[in-house]
Structures are given as structure tokens and as C-alpha cells.
Amino acid sequence: MATALADLGAACPLGLWVRGRERLPELTDSAVAVTGNRAPTEQAATRAHDFAAALAEAGHTVTTTLAYGVDSTAHRAAAAAGRATLAVLPRGLDGAHPHTHDPLLNSILDSGGAAVSLYRPGTPASGATLKATAVVLAALARAVILVEALDHGEAMAAAEAAVGLHRPLLAAPATGDVRSSGNARLIDKQLAVNSPDPRLALALPHVRVARAGDVADGDLVLAAVGKQGADYFHTPYTARPEPFNPSCGCGVCCLVTAPGEVVVLSNGDPWNACDPWPADDRLLIVPAQHRPDRPLEE
């Protein structure tokens, strides 16, 4: 946990208040944050349940606030799947936020989960504590899943923190409802990987950065990685490394003029998927051995 929080740099807290600390290292080792609107659409509520249940069944720790809507739905789905959860609270741990979720907080602790907070007991929730807690939520997680969020809504703070902390970020597809405007912006700007499929969520904790020249057959390629972080592709794709051939006829390879080794990561159809990369460029991948059994590409 300390290593994860260290990614906050100068904003790293000196410590956290904890209830259920005995299992905290185990819970944070596989934490995946699931967050979204406090008043979600019916589709988002269903997605929150499905993502959280899949994560729990795969052995990951569903990590959220106790907010109404997506967050509390995710907690309950993980609990129903028999997995302890981790709650990150925007107030002192002597109560829940909202206060009507005191029974939910107690059930999390009674079932082997834990709760953490930046704030001493007796501290009430406020706009400032909600924002700071969203950042800690992202920092503690190995990956963040934004189920549905209004642009500039509370849940977006966690998603934007994930971008800044270089945490893998999945945003469920925007539905056209204004309540998914945050997802739409993140996906349009290629700041999040776009997937309605819980199987990709299961793979996110296993992502790593690799040289293009080291990408292996079957690896799932999610994003290009630069100094500013990940630039996600609209659709992840399976790597099929091939020798670079500037005369292949695809209309792309012939344009590569950068010196040094170049590799092609494609599916064998140069007209549609020839993908030449300087071998030293960095990509965000899910190694083939950690991928779900079925293809994820749409």
C-alpha cells in the first residue's frame, strides 16, 4: 500500500486511518477501483454489478467509496460473490458517507474487508474530502474502472487521478445519456480503454509497459505510452509480430523513415491492420498468459 501511495509524490499522505488492518495488505495487492454516478442509469447499475462480480470471482478486491449508485452497487455485488471489499471513505471511519450506509460499512468489516480514510474520526465529508478521497482511491488501485460518469462529476475525479498516476483506466462505452458524458470525453481523447466487457477488466491488473520490439504473439495491445502517459487505442488488438516490410503495399510501412529497428504488430492483413512501430517505442500490453480465454477485440 505504501508503494502505491508513494506514486502521489509530494501529495502522499503520512498515513491512513484503517479499520480491518489485518487483511489490508492482501486486499490492496489486488485492488481494482470501480466507480461511477451516484444516480446511474439502469444500464450502468447492471454494468457495475457485472464488472464487480467478475472481478470478485477472479480474486480481485473491488475497491470503491460507499456512495449511492455505482460504488455501493459494486460493493454489494462483490460481497454476493463471496469476496471481501475495500472501502475508501471521505470522512472519519466512525461512520459511513452517506450515513445511511452505516450497515453496509459494518457488513464490509464483518466479512473480512477493510475501510481506509485520510481523516481522523469525527471528520465530516465535504467537497474537499470527496476530491482528495477520489485521488487516494485511484492510487490504491492497480486499475480503475469508470462505469458511468457525468463529465466533471465526482466519479471523474478518480478517473482523472488514474490518468495522472498512469493507472490502467477502463471506461464503459458512453450510452448517449448525459450521465455518461465523462466516459465519452475520456474515450474520445483516448485517455481510457473502451470496453463493455468485464473480461477486459479482469486483465487490467496484469498490464505492463513493454518495448514494441519485445511484444510477443498473442499479447493484447492497449495503448501507446509516452511521457504524458497512455494513449489508448479505440479498440485493443492482438499482437501478431511480423518482419518489417516497407514495400508491403499497405500505404503505411512505406512512410516509415525513422532510423533504427522497426517491428510490425498486425493480424496478417496489411490493408487493415499493418502496424509498424519503432522497436524502442513503449506500449501498454496485457501479456498473452494473462488474457481471458476468448478474444476481446470487437
Side-chain angles (χ1 to χ4, degrees), residues 35 130-135 138 146 149-150 152-163:
T35 192
L130 287 165
K131 184 175 181 179
T133 296
V135 174
L146 187 69
L150 278 164
H152 307 300
E154 291 179 354
M156 282 292 288
E160 289 167 347
V163 172

Side-chain angles (χ1 to χ4, degrees), residues 1-294:
M1 181 179 74
T3 301
L5 291 176
D7 289 344
L8 294 171
C12 180
L14 294 177
L16 295 175
W17 295 82
V18 181
R19 292 178 66 183
R21 63 183 180 180
E22 295 81 4
R23 293 195 60 196
L24 189 60
E26 174 190 345
L27 294 171
T28 56
D29 187 57
S30 59
V32 178
V34 181
T35 192
N37 286 329
R38 281 44 176 160
T41 60
E42 183 177 348
Q43 183 179 23
T46 299
R47 280 180 172 166
H49 177 279
D50 292 348
F51 275 111
L55 289 165
E57 289 166 2
H60 299 303
T61 301
V62 171
T63 305
T64 80
T65 72
L66 293 185
Y68 292 122
V70 166
D71 293 50
S72 55
T73 296
H75 271 299
R76 292 188 174 99
R83 178 75 179 178
T85 61
L86 176 63
V88 185
L89 302 189
R91 56 152 296 152
L93 294 179
D94 52 328
H97 177 76
H99 67 86
T100 53
H101 281 169
D102 280 338
L104 178 57
L105 174 59
N106 292 332
S107 71
I108 289 170
L109 299 171
D110 291 343
S111 61
V116 301
S117 175
L118 287 166
Y119 306 102
R120 67 175 65 250
T123 305
S126 66
T129 68
L130 287 165
K131 184 175 181 179
T133 296
V135 174
V136 170
L137 176 69
L140 288 175
R142 296 175 63 88
V144 175
I145 299 171
L146 187 69
V147 176
E148 176 190 73
L150 278 164
D151 203 357
H152 307 300
E154 291 179 354
M156 282 292 288
E160 289 167 347
V163 172
L165 292 167
H166 300 170
R167 297 290 191 267
L169 174 62
L170 182 149
T175 60
D177 189 293
V178 68
R179 284 176 282 184
S180 65
S181 55
N183 293 54
R185 178 167 66 86
L186 290 170
I187 292 168
D188 288 346
K189 291 188 174 182
Q190 295 181 246
L191 295 174
V193 61
N194 174 26
S195 178
D197 195 332
R199 289 171 297 165
L200 183 53
L202 304 185
L204 287 183
H206 302 291
V207 302
R208 66 180 181 86
V209 177
R211 292 176 64 252
D214 296 331
V215 173
D217 189 76
D219 290 348
L220 187 68
V221 184
L222 302 179
V225 177
K227 293 181 179 179
Q228 302 302 315
D231 185 13
Y232 290 91
F233 307 131
H234 287 295
T235 303
Y237 67 96
T238 299
R240 299 284 182 242
E242 300 173 348
F244 176 58
N245 176 11
S247 61
C248 71
C250 72
V252 177
C253 289
C254 62
L255 301 177
V256 176
T257 59
E261 181 187 359
V262 177
V263 296
V264 169
L265 305 177
S266 73
N267 66 3
D269 182 353
W271 285 105
N272 293 321
C274 210
D275 198 12
W277 288 90
D280 286 334
D281 276 13
R282 295 309 198 252
L283 297 172
L284 195 67
I285 67 166
V286 178
Q289 65 267 31
H290 292 303
R291 291 188 58 181
D293 293 336
R294 293 175 291 170

